Amino acid sequence: MSWIESLQKAIDYIEEHLLDEDFSVQRAAEAANSSVFHFQRTFAILTDMPVGEYIRGRRLTLAAQDLVCTDLKVIDLAYKYGYDTPEAFTKAFRRQHGMTPTEARNFSGKLKSYNRLVIQVSLKGAEQMQYAIVEKEAFQVAGIKKEFSLVNEENLAGIPKLWDEVNSNGTSGKLFKLNNGDIKGILGVCVDNRSQKPDSMDYWIAASFKGDEPDSFESMEVPASKWAVFEVHGAMPHAMQNTWKKIFSEWFPSSGYEHADAPELEVYTSVDASSPDYYSEIWIPVK
């Protein structure tokens, strides 16, 4: 359960330092002994919300309590909870609670509360997870690469847009034709950049490829690793999201494996992923 305990330590750090001026997601990730990328990804998978949304929700929940229980001025609350101006605070407060701080102080409506998270693992076992442990030598992929910032979860918004672009401009069809490597399909490859840029990641949409680097694409070598390869059955994106959640909430805590320092892969076997019989895979490096 050490992995779950590490994630809970990060959440505890967030709660203890929520109002610190030097608070950062980087420090919360360090409390979990994790990179920012893996912490953000795991948090979002398990909770169905980005870590930034949780932090904003918690701050505005505490701000609402202060409005009701204290005489602090709105301008003082704005600065206390990390907003540069009362106007920015009021806008965020209204977005969460559906009313202004003044209306909340006058008890003119219902407030929305984000409660402190406690990570709990459910080992159900009702549905079997089909997976294999695969040892694979280094292999080459070719495709397009884009760097995403991890600040404010820009990567979570940007990656789906990149897929929309690739599927609409014909790039996905070119990658399927290029695919002559051992892994069949188009790959979504998440590469943690923490050794070079702590607040960024690279995301590739690529194909397993043997040969010289194609003129129209970049190439990268995926290092040799041991992989847990999970079968995913069902239409996208729900089937993929559901499998990721089961991996982190059920499989990792009970398997004895840990995440290794290598890219993660999602394997899509055709362009049309809307069929209920669609087959895809998740490759996770493990140790």
Side-chain angles (χ1 to χ4, degrees):
M1 289 293 184
S2 60
W3 179 83
I4 294 297
E5 291 170 356
S6 295
L7 188 58
Q8 188 63 57
K9 285 181 180 178
I11 294 173
D12 292 342
Y13 177 90
I14 290 173
E15 292 293 334
E16 291 167 9
H17 300 274
L18 197 58
L19 303 184
D20 291 0
E21 290 186 4
D22 60 349
F23 173 86
S24 69
V25 175
Q26 173 73 38
R27 294 189 178 183
E30 289 172 356
N33 194 29
S34 171
S35 69
V36 173
F37 167 71
H38 284 301
F39 173 61
Q40 287 182 336
R41 183 173 177 81
T42 304
F43 189 98
I45 288 171
L46 288 177
T47 66
D48 291 322
M49 75 173 74
V51 63
E53 181 181 333
Y54 173 72
I55 292 168
R56 287 190 295 273
R58 287 292 294 142
R59 284 174 172 167
L60 290 168
T61 295
L62 297 178
Q65 293 174 5
D66 274 352
L67 276 166
V68 173
C69 300
T70 75
D71 294 326
L72 285 172
K73 296 179 180 179
V74 172
I75 188 172
D76 295 328
L77 287 173
Y79 296 145
K80 177 180 179 180
Y81 289 99
Y83 292 88
D84 294 331
T85 65
E87 291 77 15
F89 172 67
T90 297
K91 183 177 180 180
F93 193 94
R94 183 194 291 274
R95 187 181 301 116
Q96 174 161 319
H97 296 290
M99 68 186 79
T100 67
T102 300
E103 290 170 337
R105 174 155 280 167
N106 293 331
F107 304 100
S108 60
K110 294 181 179 180
L111 297 168
K112 182 182 294 184
S113 175
Y114 279 72
N115 297 324
R116 178 173 179 155
L117 280 174
V118 176
I119 297 297
Q120 296 180 337
V121 181
S122 176
L123 303 180
K124 299 176 182 178
E127 297 181 23
Q128 294 184 353
M129 299 187 70
Q130 299 294 326
Y131 76 96
I133 300 297
V134 176
E135 297 269 4
K136 189 169 180 58
E137 295 299 319
F139 61 95
Q140 180 181 233
V141 299
I144 64 169
K145 174 185 72 172
K146 188 167 184 179
E147 181 180 299
F148 289 99
S149 172
L150 300 176
V151 178
N152 297 324
E153 285 94 20
E154 290 180 14
N155 55 310
L156 300 182
I159 290 174
K161 293 179 181 178
L162 181 62
W163 273 104
D164 289 340
E165 180 182 331
V166 165
N167 288 330
S168 62
N169 66 13
T171 300
S172 56
K174 294 178 182 178
L175 288 172
F176 272 113
K177 292 179 180 179
L178 187 69
N179 182 205
N180 65 359
D182 296 334
I183 303 178
K184 302 305 179 183
I186 293 182
L187 310 179
V189 187
C190 295
V191 182
D192 184 356
N193 264 351
R194 60 178 157 168
S195 61
Q196 300 173 348
K197 295 182 179 181
D199 293 328
S200 73
M201 62 165 288
D202 286 340
Y203 188 81
W204 290 73
I205 298 180
S208 176
F209 176 73
K210 296 178 180 179
D212 296 332
E213 181 177 306
D215 293 336
S216 56
F217 293 112
E218 297 182 81
S219 65
M220 173 187 68
E221 182 177 84
V222 178
S225 184
K226 178 185 291 184
W227 304 85
V229 181
F230 295 85
E231 295 183 6
V232 182
H233 298 274
M236 298 295 110
H238 175 74
M240 185 68 73
Q241 294 168 348
N242 185 55
T243 302
W244 273 113
K245 179 169 289 190
K246 290 179 66 177
I247 290 169
F248 279 97
S249 65
E250 299 179 21
W251 187 81
F252 261 124
S254 62
S255 68
Y257 285 103
E258 297 179 12
H259 199 291
D261 186 17
E264 297 171 343
L265 312 176
E266 292 179 346
V267 183
Y268 299 94
T269 55
S270 69
V271 175
D272 182 10
S274 60
S275 169
D277 298 322
Y278 187 76
Y279 175 79
S280 52
E281 294 177 342
I282 293 172
W283 289 52
I284 300 181
V286 295
K287 59 185 178 180

